[in-house]
Every structure is written in structure tokens, then in C-alpha cells.
Amino acid sequence: MTHEEHHAAKTLGIGKAIAVLTSGGDAQGMNAAVRAVVRVGIFTGARVFFVHEGYQGLVDGGDNIREATWESVSMMLQLGGTVIGSARCKDFREREGRLRAAHNLVKRGITNLCVIGGDGSLTGADTFRSEWSDLLSDLQKAGKITAEEATKSSYLNIVGLVGSIDNDFCGTDMTIGTDSALHRIIEIVDAITTTAQSHQRTFVLEVMGRHCGYLALVTSLSCGADWVFIPECPPDDNWEEHLCRRLSETRTRGSRLNIIIVAEGAIDKTGKPISSEDIKNLVVKRLGYDTRVTVLGHVQRGGTPSAFDRILGSRMGVEAVMALLEGTPDTPACVVSLSGNQAVRLPLMECVQMTKDVTKAMNDRKFDEAMKLRGRSFMNNWEVYKLLAHVRPPAPQSSIHTVAVMNVGAPAAGMNAAVRSTVRIGLIQGNRVLVVHDGFEGLAKGQIEEAGWSYVGGWTGQGGSKLGTKRTLPKKSFEQISANITKFNIQGLVIIGGFEAYTGGLELMEGRKLFDELCIPFVVIPATVSNNVPGSDFSVGTDTALNTICTTCDRIKQSAAGTKRRVFIIETMGGYCGYLATMAGLAAGADAAYIFEEPFTIRDLQANVEHLVQKMKTTVKRGLVLRNEKCNENYTTDFIFNLYSEEGKGIFDSRKNVLGHMQQGGSPTPFDRNFATKMGAKAMNWMSGKIKESYRNGRIFANTPDSGCVLGMRKRALVFQPVTELKEQTDFDHRIPKEQWWLKLRPILKILAKYEIDLDTSEHAHLEHISRKRSGEASI
């Protein structure tokens, strides 16, 4: 997309009309998508219409189809469900119903339809599109529309956004609502865990997912469940024995509880359903454990959307408008989705077909094929779950290698989950695993102990750093560190932490020239709320911090909505990295987010104040401004607060809040638990391979750049990158990577806050095909 084309974004929609509807089961984050479609549509000059009550509203017409305004989507972002309503609709399945729907659209001049729903809703939309010209000629024959109206609406553009808590749609990594549903489930699992421990109980939890086990699988990884039953992978024939043996083993290792997660669609190899009651009866009969069943039901659809779902909904909404307005009669109906952290457009029917293929494969009992079709991320989750839950740790014999695990930097939620999976995968591989307390300082002082299987029991859901973490760097204590590496026979080091973990890694590389003992493989797992570690798009702990900020902003907005004419200035953490301020701004609907990476002057501050003065004249009489703690040394939070207070006199009041260390605390979100668990497992697998490679003359000697890496999430994959190669990409003075992917989301923040800017810096997705997108995975 050239610069000129982008300048046209502001006029792209002139003379066009878009209708947005939500259909099928509701999902948290649908409102964020509706809000983005409305505001970006209006920004491009298009008229946007709400269709209330899904397809039913499209068929019934009348008051169900109403024009939306900028203000009509205010305060929608933090609401769960769908504000415009959703209904199961029989009428639209009949041609007669679709004829009425077409009539309602043509009469209003709407030729662009954005459908937010599951695969059923999207298939319906595609049928509607393919029949469009026939429907119009029928309407014209019946004299319901004029020839001129028919010509004006000659073709219908359709874009789908997948809103479904099951994450059951092929071609998208995450559907809108999945992350929030996981939040609800994990809140409940955490609550149940405490009571189960009090009474030494076994809990069987049933979660939603008739045909897709995603929620069940990720939940079991996030809470360290003993067993999970999912439809895609039925248990082996003698699973009853295996399950009971597994539960009693967990108890003998000292655990006071067992947790079993069941997807509502769980089946055995013959296709017979496995219900939560069946499992309970089995456990009671064979083991006599006190067992309780909890069926979560519609709780999972409820509650406020998580930060991830709000950002996902907003990004998808923006992309949907662009896809609609760029559409021609020849472009296929597409789905806008997320792959890694890239927005992509995929042909709608290819995705629907693949989703149907999964169901067919399961009905034909071709379970391996169903797993492959679910995609790489699903398979990875399953592999890690199987390792952590089903492999027996080998009997203590002479261990193969000794690996040490440590935390460095400031605490971040999810560090403990990473330590747990690193320790357990290490033990499964037959290694001796040591834990180091208090970072490099503890390594120098010898605060090191051996960790067994149950040492890390129950750590997944605990916030902070249980090993203790310090910002101290290793350089000044190389001698003591080398002595301890020899004393404890440490042959590999897993460092879980923030920017200091990375700079510490660089120092260890330098130290190899002076101390042979430092020639051991090490890997850094990024864990920091700031998300400023080079080599990774995400860090463990960032998602939790983002949700904390988001919840606080929601409460503050509520307070401001009550008092009216009030602007809040909120300071977030992140050092020089503006990730938290930007993403929280997107997720909480901020008017502005000041960050270091995008320099601002007094003129920008003045424009922002003026913008808020204008806003106070509308029905939305409140403002929210975020400021990253180190965005500018002179324009401090106090300065901005004073400026706003002075300039807003008689128009609005200002208030300020510094969020501080609450951003580092709290129980980790499902994303952070799952991400940390997978990173720990991946790091340990790499470590075992590297130690074997580095074995020379009876000892470990690792001196190559690729034996000291950062394990990072890059676009669509987890990759190991030598720390020395990442040096070029780092701004050491400000402790941030030189290039950061999320900066391209900033224009979206501004457009959604009603700034007149060009879209030329925002991301742009091209239509891809699923088969190509999945190359390198199971070929379809």
C-alpha cells in the first residue's frame, strides 16, 4: 500500500455504508470489535449501521438497523457479551428470510457487511453473498426495489471476524473471546484449588468446547492439572487404570489435591462420550477419594473482556473496515484474523471448510488428522501437556547432566510457571536440576539447592518470584560464580528475567575469555512487565501487568463518568519502553498515551488539551491519558497534570494516578502461565541438546555464540537467537530494542480516540491462503 493510497484512507469510505452485526453465541471482546468498526468506518467517511439481534435484525429490518455515531460506542470497550445483541435465527436459513434481509440493506444503500460470530454465522454470510444478484433480480421483479437501487447495490462485500470462546476456527490463532473465557476458568480453578487443598479433594472441572478442546487444554497447562480429556485426542483404551495410577502417584508425591479438566465434548476412542460424572464415579469407586464435580457453564462467556481480547477485537475491527472498503466484486469473502501477532486476511470459505474437516475427521475417528488440522500451536500445547502430566519422572539414578535455573531482574508474574516447567522437563530428561536464589548474587554466594519434582508443585498460578530475584549483574563476581559452577558441577544455565538477564548473558559471553568455567550453554527466557528484552515480541509477565492496568483504568473511567468533565492522567511502568502505556491505551480506550519512542513537544500537548476541550462538548465528558514513566524527563506526570489543570480551568478537572508496583504483582494471567510453561519446556529441550553438543574430553566446553541465546517469540514462532547477535538491535542507554513491532498499532489508538491522522503507519494485511500459511506445519 503506497503513501498516496494511505492518504486516501480518510476518504476511502465516502459514499459507502457498512453494517455490523454479531451473531451466534456471544463472546467477550465483540464490543471492542464493534466499536472499532464504527469509529474507523466513520473516520474513512463511511456511514455505519448497527444491526441489532444478529441476522434476525437483518431480516426484520425496521428499528433493528440503526445508524451509529462516534459517541454511541463510548464505554463499550470494557463490557462483556455483545451490546447490540445476538440471536439464533431460523428465518435467515430460508431463502425468503435472506430476500427480506437483502431488501432491508438495499433500501438503506448498505453494500458492506461485517459479521462477528462463529463458523455457522460466517457460512451464512457467504451464502448470502453468493445469492446476492439473484436476490436483487427477484426483488426488482416483485417491484420492491427500483432498477436504479439494484445497480447501486450491485454487489455485496463481506468480512468476517471470528468471535467464539472455543477457539475452534481454523486459520486463526486466537478467536475473540477465547482469552477472556480462559480468565474466567482460571479464576475459578484458582479458587477451587484453595478449597481442594484444605480437604485433600479431587475436583473434576467441566469446561465448554463441544468440538474443540482448546479451553480444556490450555486450562490444564495453566493450572498443572493431572489429566485433561479433549475431543481431538481421546485417551488410550485402558485409560481408567492409567488415570487412577496417575492420581495416586500425585498424592504419594505429597500433593493434597487432584484436578481433572474435561471438555464438554470429551469422548473415548469409540466415540462414546466421557462425562464429568463418569470420571467422578470412577475415582470414587477405585480410589475412594473425596471427589467433586464443577460444571462451569455460561460463566465462561461472561465478565469483562481481558486486555488481549480488547486489543484483538480493536485490531480486527480496523482491519475489517479496510478489507471491506478495498473489496471489489472479485475479492472472495474474507476473515480477518491473527497469526502470531500479525493481522492476516484469509478466504472465509477455506477456513470454514477446514473447520468442517476437523469435525469430519473426528466423526470418522481420524484423531491424528484432527489434531494436525487444528494447527501448530494446538499441537505444541498438547505435546507440553503430555510431557508434564503423563511422563513419569525417571527413578533417581546417576543424573545425566546438571542444569541450574535462576531469576534475574524485577519480579514478573509467570516467572514461577517458567521455573516449574524448566525444573520438571529437566527431571523428566533425567537431569539433576538446581535452583539458584536471588539471581547472579545468589550464584556468587552459593545460594543453590537441588530441586525435586514436588519442589515446584503448585507454582504455576503464583505471582512474583519464589526463587527471589535481583538486578545484580555477574561481571563483578565472576571468580565466585566460576568457583560455584565448578563446586556444584553446573553444566547449563537457564536465566529467567528481564533486561538484566539479557545484559547478564552478554557479560557471561565476555567472561568466557577469562574463565573457562563460564563456557557452559545458557539460555535467557524474557520475563519482565516492561516487554523490553531484545529478541522477543512478548515477555512473560507483560500480559498480567497489562490486565492490571486495564482493570484500574476501567474503574477510573467509571469514576470519571459519574463526576463528568474530568480527565485522568495515569502513569504506567515500563522504563523507557512504551509497550504498557500503548497497549493499555488501546485496551482501555485512552485519549492519548505519551511514550519515549514517539517524541512529543509542547505543541502536541497543546493539541491534546484542545482535543479534550472539544470532547467535553460531546456526551462523553471524560478523558483518560496514559504516560509512560520515562517518556520525557522534563514533561513529567506532574508537569502534564499541572498543564492540563491550568488549560482545562472551567472546562474540566484533572486528576493523576501513579500505578507503581502493583503492576509487578498479582496472579499470572492464563496467557502468561501458558507462555511461561511452553518457554520453560522449549528452553530445557534446547539445553539438553546443547550440553550433549558441547561435550569435549569428559567435560562441557561451550564457546560458540550459539551456546548463549535468548529464546523469544518472533511473529509466529519461538526462536533461539545468540545474545551477541542481538547486540546490534539494542539501544543500551534506554534499555529497549531498536525496533519494536507494536509501534505500528499506535495510529489505531489515535484514530479510535478521534484524531485526524493518516493511516500510513498502520499495519496492512494482504490476503493469504491457509495452505500456504501453514507451510512448515502439517500439510493439508
Side-chain angles (χ1 to χ4, degrees), residues 344-346 350 716 766-777 780:
V344 292
R345 297 179 190 175
L346 301 166
E350 278 183 28
R716 298 178 184 179
H766 297 285
L767 191 70
E768 302 190 5
H769 288 282
I770 296 206
S771 44
R772 194 189 83 220
K773 178 181 163 271
R774 304 215 166 244
S775 60
E777 296 177 38
I780 288 145

Side-chain angles (χ1 to χ4, degrees), residues 516-552:
D516 277 0
E517 294 87 342
L518 298 178
C519 296
I520 56 171
F522 69 85
V523 58
V524 175
I525 296 177
T528 163
V529 298
S530 307
N531 199 23
N532 62 340
V533 179
S536 193
D537 293 347
F538 295 112
S539 305
V540 171
T542 311
D543 186 64
T544 306
L546 199 52
N547 277 286
T548 306
I549 299 170
C550 223
T551 312
T552 312

